[in-house]
Amino acid sequence: MPNQAPPSGEITNPVLDKLSALYEPITHNTDWQIKTYKQVIRDSQQWMDLHFRENGDVLQLIEGRSWLIDQILIKLWSQIEWPAPISMIAVGGYGRGELHPYSDIDLLILSDAEIDQPLQQSISRFIQFLWDIGLEVGHSVRSPQQCIELAQTDITVCTNLIESRVLAGDAQLMEAVLNAVHSDKCWPDSAFFDAKVEEQDQRHEKYNDTEYDLEPNLKSSPGALRDIHIIVWITRFYFPDQSSLSAFVDKELVTWDELNALEQLRQFLWKVRYGLHMLAKRSEDRLLFNHQRDLAEILGYTDDENQLAVEQFMRDYYNTVGHISTLNEMLLQHFEEHIFHTESPGKTTPINPHFNLCNHYIEAASEQLFEQHPRALLELFVLVAEDRSIKGIAAPTIRLLSKSLDRIDDDFRQDGKNGQLFMRLLRAPYSMVTQLQRMQRYGILGRYIPEYGRIIGQMQHDLFHTYTVDAHTLLLMRFLRQFTNPALDAKFPLVNRVIKSIDKVELLFLAALFHDIAKGQGGNHSLLGEQDALEFCDRIQLSKRDGKLVAWLVRQHLTMSMTAQRKDISDPDEIHKFAELVADQNQLDHLFLLTVADINATNSELWNDWRASLMRKLYLETRRALRRGLENPTDRQELIAERQAVAIGLLQEKLSAQQCLDIWSTAGDEYFLRETAHTIATHTEAIANHSDSETPLIIINETTNRAFEGGTQIFIYCRDQDNLFAASASALDSLNLSIQDARIITSGHNTVLNTYIVLDGEGKSLGHDPETHHKIKQRLLRDLADSKQFPEMAKRHTPRQKRHFNTPTQVLLSNDDSEVADQQNNTQYTLMELITADRPGLLALVGQVFVSHGVLLHQAKIATLGERVDDVFFITDTQQRPITDIERLERLADATRSILDEQNGTQSMANPS
């Protein structure tokens, strides 16, 4: 049966008692007197607003306003002599009996008869009078068959119908509609459920999947009223005989505590919405800044020594919508199980001794799991983030989580194994940020990191931020995850390349999590946050070096943005100062990524072409300054010691620590700063087994460097000799290999440790093909045996895409002692910087120039960013002295520009002196 309006005059609360008295002038009024109706509506609303301010019982007010409008509509409807069978139906929020001061009054006028002129005139007269007396009515006129047809194709129409109430007229018309709507012909099987969940997902996505917008929408934001409505809609569609959710307590779909909590949460939002309508004097669902303070006062909040009234109010709002989101997730999951899996429950598959998988949801293996194994409170989210097939967390397990929060105590926080689990979560390949959001919603993240708990729901009163501190933080982390997505190359071209160079991306995420963690504490939040970050890193037993990087990023997270926008970054002195601050490429890369993500997460409108160009310029100029000799890692020796220790550990069954140290004695610091511990171990073992000191050692492996993932590494270890670089580059080029990156190092013992990252002619890795590896080794050994006679350059075709980027070649030569001194070997070099367009055989051409001009290469840093090459070479003459003759330097520069631009078909730029 369709829902019926309460009988006229039925009094169920004191508000209705008062409204009944105010309605009295209409009761005995048989004429359509606009003035009388308007006066009753105005007096009633004024009284309700006063009652709200004094009493705040919003449930009775919502029910009372719906009752009042029912009486007015029914009274007017009854005074019309309808020429055909017809009924008046309340739909939408009015159908649910939820009318706030300026809520829409949505009506469906249902008739099985043809809408002829007399019937249309009666309907028009009725609707017009409602507008005349100040009621904003939305209405539609349809036949039962039209309703059914629309309901089959439009989920919104179907939803309106299932929450309808018959106000007046023939109830059988609506009964026929509802019988059809609830049949399998309308929305069969899971179609209605799936459509409403998809609708909710799309709505949440519109608000960036966060409840913590600084100006949220009371109806549509995640965790707001629509998240309660969807529970009501699904209940009424699949269980039309159940009048409320309370019927499902016996079915164990919901507990009394959850049901009572949901009602209290809904009433809080109703209070806010009622007060918002009252303040705005219109239908308004956006909780704008200019209303928040007044609402806080109306709802009884007062300033205290810790927080303003508005901050207390908004924190309560965010707590409310967070709880609603959790209940929404649990109840939807329970309904899905009850509706679709009762007949054929899914197979339960063990994941490990703690967790099982059922219907793609992870569930605790026992109800005592978290009590007996508290670490599983973190393990749960790690498993979900590491397995894409896991859809979510089973509702009973969510309940267990909420009951086990007290297990997260100081001992839990100090447990290093829990810290390892948390860092494993930050490394996880899938849905890492989503799991952090869940951890926050379930109360776990704030318990595990109390410093983070302080910023949950923390307002930000400025013109830039659009989210609370915690929501901004998680959105920043989501941007960092998205930076690896090739689809965003157009918007973040440089960022996409830089993030590939980050070795431990979890440290970047941890810095992001802590970057604003001290907001609201008073004082400089960057400095306070640095201390919080250090303490947490120590608590989870992170290495000192990693902890220092995280803390440094937190301290400096605003510096790059401020430098780019407030300093003259065309001034070399400003670039020099900033380069000295960041100290090394690794810190620059991390800070650049954190800054770009921070700007985008603050407000999407802040990231524009102007800011993008400033950030790109500052990054590239600083990178250039570091490569020219300013790079000086603050933890240089600590990093070297750490990598050596890890390498010794990897080799402990093959070489002693002393054997390793003996081999490394000729390597020099630059080698250990450049290579990973695993690569160092591979090279060391090969060097130890290489008995012929006169023959170069050549090692070919797939690279472990994230920046060149998918490339092949060729390592050459041998005595230094004339033209070695030119011969190596030319040999690789003759094999149709493209050099993507190179690190040329000559140690103090006249030993070279050169590394090349190469791709084949199709831009792919060489793979593990022994025949190809053997061919490369043989060609290199042959050419290096007589490096003075390296082969003639093969003519290589420049791809069309790279020909399009015809960057003119720039050659800059310098003998600035501060830039080109090798402090470790007490050697002076001439620095040559080359900026040009990338193309096949580039390094081989440069090598030819060096040979023809009597130049020896001692070190090089080769790198490509997109179509542009920015290479740095540390060179001397054949006597291993800096090249100081100005004319000779000019000839070298001219020759380099000439051969490169002639080969690429571009025009050189003059060489700056």
Side-chain angles (χ1 to χ4, degrees), residues 132-173:
D132 289 343
I133 64 177
L135 298 181
E136 296 190 8
V137 177
H139 79 286
S140 59
V141 181
R142 296 190 180 115
S143 69
Q145 186 59 36
Q146 286 174 326
C147 289
I148 293 168
E149 291 173 356
L150 283 170
Q152 290 173 338
T153 58
D154 190 329
I155 190 70
T156 303
V157 172
C158 182
T159 303
N160 276 332
L161 292 175
I162 63 175
E163 59 182 0
S164 60
R165 292 182 298 123
V166 177
L167 296 173
D170 187 353
Q172 290 184 347
L173 292 174

